[in-house]
Amino acid sequence: MTTAATILNRVSQQLLSGTVEERNKLASTITDSDTSIVLLYDLGGYRSGSVFELESELIYVWEADAASKTLTVQRGFSGTTAVAHTSGVLATLNPRFPRGQMLNSLNAEIDDLSSTANGLFKVTTTDLSYNGSDRQINLTGATNVLELIDVRLRYLADNFPVIRGTRLQRDLPTADFASGFAIVIDEPLMAGTLRVRVKTPFTRASSEASDLTTVCGLPATCDDLVELGVTIRMMAGREVKRSFIESQGDTRRADEVPSGSARDSVANLLRLRRERITAEAGRLKAQYPIQFRK
């Protein structure tokens, strides 16, 4: 089982490359509205004006009391959502790659992989009861269909022949077809159960606990592809940050890391990502060939 958290941990390891960010722990459980937080260890770099991360929530520090290890904070900083956190949760100071941002990048990557230009998709199967006379039948439960794969009729328990005289119609009046999608039947067909398989987009991860296969619909072989995509998206802004004309706190940028290094690294990853997308699209195409009408 690969969850979104698993991918984010791998990406973080790659991007930090051994760099250890300053950390602490929550001394006690907090609610989503607490603005006074006590840490377990000495505050160190946790001071007024700093930002730290609890799970996927960023928190801004207004005041810090070193004696009591207490921080007065603003919750849900920089567009993140304030949630409850349990005692012992890691607090990461000024994270280079915030997990909330990485989760957003993961979902953007999932959306992008579902593009028809990439040829990747989730297979959704629906069983419909057909009365033998209607020419169009509502595709129950459909919300976003990319393409019809095939329609099969349950002729016997062990025989589901493909019905070639069928096609998908979309954007229909919901007063007549509740889903807005319908299967059009262009040949005489007996009553029975139709098994419809369609291509649909992958589903976004609602949290770090979301399983990429069972929840998002991604094939298990795509784990590394999603990891590549998140890494690229998180690195893309590094060269922009380098170009700021204000003073730079990281003096390594000029001499040890030449201009364009981040861009060149992303270019290599983009090439690898494209090769992996092509490979996965070929595998899906072979596994789910479109049944053309005769």
Side-chain angles (χ1 to χ4, degrees):
M1 180 180 74
T2 301
T3 63
T6 303
I7 298 296
L8 300 191
N9 289 338
R10 292 176 186 169
V11 171
S12 181
Q13 291 172 0
Q14 291 290 333
L15 293 176
L16 291 175
S17 300
T19 300
V20 179
E21 298 173 311
E22 184 174 349
R23 293 182 174 184
N24 210 314
K25 287 185 177 180
L26 276 184
S28 59
T29 298
I30 61 173
T31 68
D32 60 356
S33 58
D34 286 335
T35 56
S36 181
I37 295 177
V38 180
L39 297 182
L40 188 60
Y41 305 110
D42 291 339
L43 294 186
Y46 292 77
R47 58 176 63 90
S48 175
S50 61
V51 175
F52 66 97
E53 184 178 53
L54 294 176
E55 297 175 296
S56 295
E57 180 188 355
L58 291 177
I59 299 173
Y60 182 85
V61 179
W62 290 112
E63 292 181 346
D65 186 336
S68 62
K69 304 173 186 174
T70 301
L71 305 174
T72 302
V73 302
Q74 176 183 327
R75 302 293 301 277
F77 181 68
S78 192
T80 59
T81 301
V83 297
H85 303 282
T86 58
S87 174
V89 166
L90 283 175
T92 303
L93 181 65
N94 297 322
R96 287 176 172 82
F97 303 98
R99 293 185 74 86
Q101 185 180 345
M102 286 200 290
L103 183 60
N104 290 338
S105 294
L106 184 145
N107 281 322
E109 180 67 12
I110 288 175
D111 291 344
D112 190 34
L113 290 176
S114 297
S115 167
T116 53
N118 288 323
L120 302 181
F121 53 86
K122 177 174 66 174
V123 177
T124 301
T125 302
T126 306
D127 289 335
L128 304 175
S129 295
Y130 180 59
N131 59 16
S133 60
D134 290 343
R135 186 167 180 266
Q136 292 176 300
I137 180 172
N138 179 58
L139 186 53
T140 306
T143 55
N144 191 357
V145 179
L146 300 176
E147 190 175 8
L148 177 66
I149 297 177
D150 60 28
V151 178
R152 297 173 181 267
L153 173 68
R154 186 183 186 279
Y155 185 69
L156 296 172
D158 58 352
N159 187 8
F160 280 75
V162 175
I163 310 303
R164 298 187 180 276
T166 57
R167 52 192 169 90
L168 176 70
Q169 199 166 28
R170 63 183 74 233
D171 299 324
L172 295 172
T174 54
D176 300 315
F177 299 91
S179 68
F181 295 89
I183 299 299
V184 181
I185 301 170
D186 292 328
E187 64 180 48
L189 189 63
M190 62 181 285
T193 299
L194 299 179
R195 169 150 291 192
V196 181
R197 295 193 303 177
V198 295
K199 299 177 182 180
T200 57
F202 300 120
T203 304
R204 285 183 153 222
S206 58
S207 70
E208 289 193 23
S210 297
D211 186 280
L212 294 189
T213 300
T214 60
V215 175
C216 302
L218 287 156
T221 52
C222 282
D223 287 359
D224 67 316
L225 179 52
V226 177
E227 183 180 336
L228 276 171
V230 177
T231 302
I232 291 168
R233 291 173 189 276
M234 295 303 296
M235 289 184 63
R238 303 300 289 180
E239 199 70 28
V240 175
K241 182 179 178 181
R242 180 194 176 96
S243 300
F244 288 170
I245 61 174
E246 294 84 354
S247 62
Q248 299 177 359
D250 187 353
T251 56
R252 295 181 62 248
R253 293 177 189 162
D255 299 327
E256 297 181 36
V257 185
S259 178
S261 295
R263 182 191 61 234
D264 293 342
S265 297
V266 168
N268 291 331
L269 293 175
L270 282 169
R271 182 169 59 252
L272 179 57
R273 176 179 179 269
R274 171 48 52 190
E275 291 172 356
R276 286 290 294 114
I277 287 176
T278 302
E280 286 298 321
R283 185 186 61 79
L284 283 173
K285 184 177 180 180
Q287 190 174 358
Y288 299 102
I290 299 297
Q291 302 291 340
F292 293 101
R293 299 174 58 200
K294 289 184 177 179

